[in-house]
């Protein structure tokens, strides 16, 4: 399996090099040259299998030239052994035809653990084999950062630097990033928004002297391995609800578009997904784009679902690449226009996007009301991101089963949940002392040279 850049001019790579490269050298994102398909009977055979077995069957065609099957199976087993639920991603029924896919039973209580725990294993395997060492730099609006630190803390072959927007993540999220004691993980609070953090990470990848000197690697969803690991739970959920014998729809609370793009890959692999519905908060650029064709970033508007306070949605580039039939030059042109303020998707590409994606937008008041109503109706306490998804899904439930992705545990956002319900959700016992632990964080301006200098100073030589 070879991987190509969405912008068409970077070297084509195998899986391990793609995983270690992060951003392609032409600024694009790596995607598989061709998405492998699974047959109706391959998919039917997944029903009822353990999560780890489905993970092996779904991901094997993407990685088979890189890892021996036994090694890969062992990595998968280690990745999910620490999850707090035997099913790893259990389904809970919310209404007659509406199900919640709980993705928050991993060590940091958000869906990011599904990919990050596995990537940690894959990086360790490949770096040990090659005798290499890398510097991972990531941007986070709160959840990716803590998941990355948890997956890589204490590993000799990596230093990890996580840029988060100062004052714009929840206190639980911040403490998850500032309290690990291992010397190889570093939290950096950047003046600005998540989009600034993500832009500086991409700047570092495009600054080749720095990139090559520090051995830069990325574990944001710019890394296709992140997306790949997230494809698996679409299969476990859909087959548990009757796929491939009947179609299933998914609603996904969306910010950087990685999670829902994983659903798009699942569909291309042959999973009968009827509708993939993008659910956004008031930072609704994706909903506006799917509605009008215009992709025009606005100022970020802080919300009670802060992890989705994103205007420049990195993985949308991958969806555009498919919608433009793999035309790298067209994507490069759109991304140049984006730097100058925005772009308009061609009619043909917009139609192609709408064949896959629907969308909805949820206000702050609606998010709170959904947390409150859902608790009253079903007894489920939702995190605000999940509530955005549930609100959009409820308006669109059709004849086929609808699955909403529950992307984080409510205890990560206790203020918003308490304001909506009067209940302050408790952290699991293993995190009960989070608020007593010492914090370690570097404050830094939104300035590429300052950020690079800090990384140079703190990384192991
Ligand atoms: C809790 C939570 N929900 C939803 C999202 C949106 O996911 P994606 O960025 O993959 O669209 C994020 C972050 O991205 C998140 O942290
Ligand atoms: N919501 C995310 C944003 C970055 O995510 P990624 O999936 O693109 O790595 C976060 O919690 O950091």
């Amino acid at each position: 399996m070879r991987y190509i850049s969405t912008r068409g001019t970077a070297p084509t790579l195998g899986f391990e090099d793609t995983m270690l490269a992060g951003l392609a050298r032409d600024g694009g994102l790596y995607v598989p040259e061709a998405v492998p398909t699974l047959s109706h009977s391959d998919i039917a055979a997944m029903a009822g299998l353990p999560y780890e077995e489905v993970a092996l069957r779904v991901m094997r065609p993407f990685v088979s030239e890189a890892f021996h099957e036994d090694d890969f199976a062992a990595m998968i087993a280690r990745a999910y052994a620490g999850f707090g639920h035997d099913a790893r991603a259990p389904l809970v029924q919310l209404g007659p035809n509406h199900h919640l896919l709980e993705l928050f039973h991993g060590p940091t209580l958000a869906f990011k653990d599904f990919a990050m725990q596995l990537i940690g294993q894959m990086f360790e395997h490949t770096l040990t084999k090659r005798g290499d060492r890398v510097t991972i730099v990531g941007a986070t609006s709160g959840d990716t950062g803590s998941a990355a630190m948890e997956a890589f803390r204490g590993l000799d072959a990596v230093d990890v630097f996580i840029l988060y927007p100062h004052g714009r993540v929840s206190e639980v999220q911040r403490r998850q990033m500032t309290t690990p004691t291992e010397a190889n993980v570093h939290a950096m609070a950047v003046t600005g928004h998540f989009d600034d953090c993500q832009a500086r990470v991409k700047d570092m990848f495009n600054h080749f002297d720095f990139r090559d000197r520090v051995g830069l690697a990325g574990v944001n969803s710019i890394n296709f391995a992140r997306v790949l690991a997230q494809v698996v739970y679409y299969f476990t959920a859909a087959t548990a609800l009757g796929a491939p014998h009947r179609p299933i729809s998914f609603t996904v609370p969306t910010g950087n578009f990685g999670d829902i793009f994983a659903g798009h890959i699942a569909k291309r692999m042959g999973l009968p997904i009827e509708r993939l519905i993008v659910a956004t908060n008031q930072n609704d650029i994706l909903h506006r784009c799917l509605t009008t064709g215009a992709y025009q970033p606005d100022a970020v508007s802080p919300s009670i679902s802060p992890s989705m306070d994103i205007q420049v949605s990195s993985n949308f580039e991958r969806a555009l690449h498919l919608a433009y039939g793999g035309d790298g030059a067209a994507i490069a042109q759109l991304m140049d226009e984006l730097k100058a303020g925005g772009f308009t998707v061609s009619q043909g590409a917009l139609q192609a996007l709408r064949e896959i994606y629907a969308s909805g937008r949820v206000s702050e008041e609606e998010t709170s009301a959904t947390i409150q109503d859902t608790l009253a109706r079903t007894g489920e306490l939702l995190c605000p991101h999940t509530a955005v998804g549930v609100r959009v899904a409820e308006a669109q439930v059709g004849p086929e089963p609808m699955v909403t992705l529950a992307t984080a545990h409510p205890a990560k956002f206790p203020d918003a949940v308490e304001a909506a319900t009067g209940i302050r959700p408790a952290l699991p016992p293993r995190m009960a002392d989070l608020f007593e632990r010492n914090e370690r964080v570097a404050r830094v301006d939104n300035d590429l040279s300052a950020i690079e200098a800090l990384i140079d100073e703190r990384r192991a030589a």
Side-chain angles (χ1 to χ4, degrees):
M1 164 82 61
R2 304 294 292 171
Y3 292 82
I4 56 168
S5 166
T6 49
R7 301 193 194 173
T9 56
T12 297
L13 302 176
F15 181 78
E16 283 175 299
D17 289 322
T18 300
M19 175 181 83
L20 293 179
L23 201 67
R25 282 181 101 84
D26 60 3
L29 303 179
Y30 275 106
V31 287
E33 199 164 29
V35 175
T37 52
L38 296 172
S39 69
H40 192 273
S41 61
D42 289 339
I43 298 172
M46 290 177 186
L49 292 180
Y51 187 89
E52 285 80 348
E53 180 59 34
V54 177
L56 182 63
R57 294 182 185 198
V58 169
M59 291 188 280
R60 189 168 40 198
F62 293 87
V63 305
S64 58
E65 284 148 31
F67 304 132
H68 289 300
E69 183 157 331
D70 291 350
D71 289 339
F72 190 47
M75 290 181 229
I76 293 172
R78 285 194 295 271
Y80 300 117
F83 276 48
H85 198 293
D86 286 347
R88 313 307 183 213
L91 279 165
V92 170
Q93 186 143 15
L94 270 194
N97 217 12
H98 187 191
H99 306 261
L100 209 54
L101 181 62
E102 291 187 350
L103 299 175
F104 52 70
H105 296 286
T108 69
L109 310 180
F111 76 96
K112 310 286 181 175
D113 290 322
F114 277 90
M116 214 61 90
Q117 285 293 314
L118 183 60
I119 286 196
Q121 296 294 331
M122 295 195 290
F123 264 67
E124 191 173 7
H125 178 94
T126 300
L127 292 174
T128 307
K129 187 173 69 183
R130 294 183 175 188
D132 261 356
R133 159 161 248 295
V134 293
T135 303
I136 291 173
V137 181
T140 189
S141 52
D143 292 319
T144 295
S146 47
M149 286 180 162
E150 179 63 27
F152 289 96
R153 69 191 166 94
L155 231 72
D156 283 340
V158 293
D159 285 303
V160 179
F161 293 87
I162 297 296
L163 279 54
Y164 72 85
H166 178 62
R168 298 188 187 280
V169 300
S170 81
E171 189 171 356
V172 173
Q173 289 177 314
R174 189 192 75 231
R175 286 178 173 276
Q176 285 182 307
M177 292 186 280
T178 58
T179 59
T181 51
E182 289 79 3
N184 73 322
V185 294
H186 309 264
M188 296 167 74
V190 178
T191 310
H193 295 282
F194 167 77
D195 290 328
D196 299 314
C197 299
Q198 180 157 259
R200 296 298 77 76
V201 169
K202 289 192 174 178
D203 289 347
M204 281 179 250
F205 274 104
N206 290 323
H207 181 190
F208 294 142
D209 283 351
F210 178 80
R211 175 178 182 159
D212 296 337
R213 184 160 50 73
V214 304
L216 194 61
V219 294
N220 274 107
S221 54
I222 56 175
N223 191 329
F224 185 77
R226 276 278 314 282
V227 175
L228 175 60
Q230 292 171 198
V231 174
V232 174
Y233 45 70
Y234 286 89
F235 278 90
T236 58
T239 52
L241 293 170
H245 312 293
R246 62 172 176 172
I248 312 289
S249 287
F250 288 87
T251 300
V252 187
T254 305
N256 225 11
F257 212 80
D259 209 8
I260 195 156
F261 186 73
H264 191 160
I265 296 287
K267 185 173 164 96
R268 284 182 83 103
M269 289 180 76
L271 191 66
I273 296 181
E274 182 74 22
R275 291 174 296 153
L276 271 173
I277 305 176
V278 172
T280 75
N281 67 18
Q282 61 198 9
N283 295 290
D284 61 353
I285 183 165
L286 292 164
H287 175 57
R288 283 187 281 118
C289 181
L290 289 166
T291 310
T292 67
Y295 191 87
Q296 301 286 347
D298 264 348
V300 174
S301 170
S303 77
I304 57 169
S305 45
S307 302
M308 305 195 316
D309 291 347
I310 296 175
Q311 289 283 338
V312 182
S313 194
S314 188
N315 282 281
F316 197 49
E317 179 168 342
R318 288 189 166 115
L320 288 168
H321 182 254
L322 290 176
Y324 277 81
D327 181 349
I331 302 305
Q333 165 74 29
L334 294 181
M335 294 303 134
D336 282 346
E337 289 173 34
L338 180 58
K339 278 192 205 128
F343 59 81
T344 300
V345 179
S346 72
Q347 275 311 311
L350 186 58
Q351 194 182 330
L353 286 169
R354 286 179 181 158
E355 277 163 20
I356 308 285
Y357 299 105
S359 65
R361 176 228 204 245
V362 178
S363 70
E364 294 288 90
E365 297 71 27
E366 289 168 333
T367 305
S368 282
T370 304
I371 297 175
Q372 193 180 35
D373 296 348
T374 308
L375 179 66
R377 271 190 303 111
T378 69
E380 282 292 316
L381 201 52
L382 305 179
C383 98
H385 308 77
T386 307
V388 167
V390 165
R391 180 75 172 209
V392 169
E394 276 173 350
Q396 307 212 26
V397 174
E400 74 286 1
M402 170 69 79
V403 177
T404 297
L405 272 51
T407 49
H409 192 289
K412 290 193 97 167
F413 308 94
D415 295 340
V417 174
E418 188 175 22
T421 62
I423 295 172
R424 196 162 182 86
L427 287 166
R430 68 188 155 77
M431 289 169 70
D433 68 342
L434 186 65
F435 283 75
E436 278 115 57
R437 297 179 198 162
N438 290 329
E439 293 192 74
R440 179 169 56 94
V441 59
R443 279 283 280 120
V444 62
D445 287 338
N446 174 22
D447 174 79
L448 182 63
S449 310
I451 295 169
E452 288 183 348
L454 199 62
I455 293 172
D456 264 329
E457 182 194 311
R458 307 250 163 124
R459 78 189 179 90

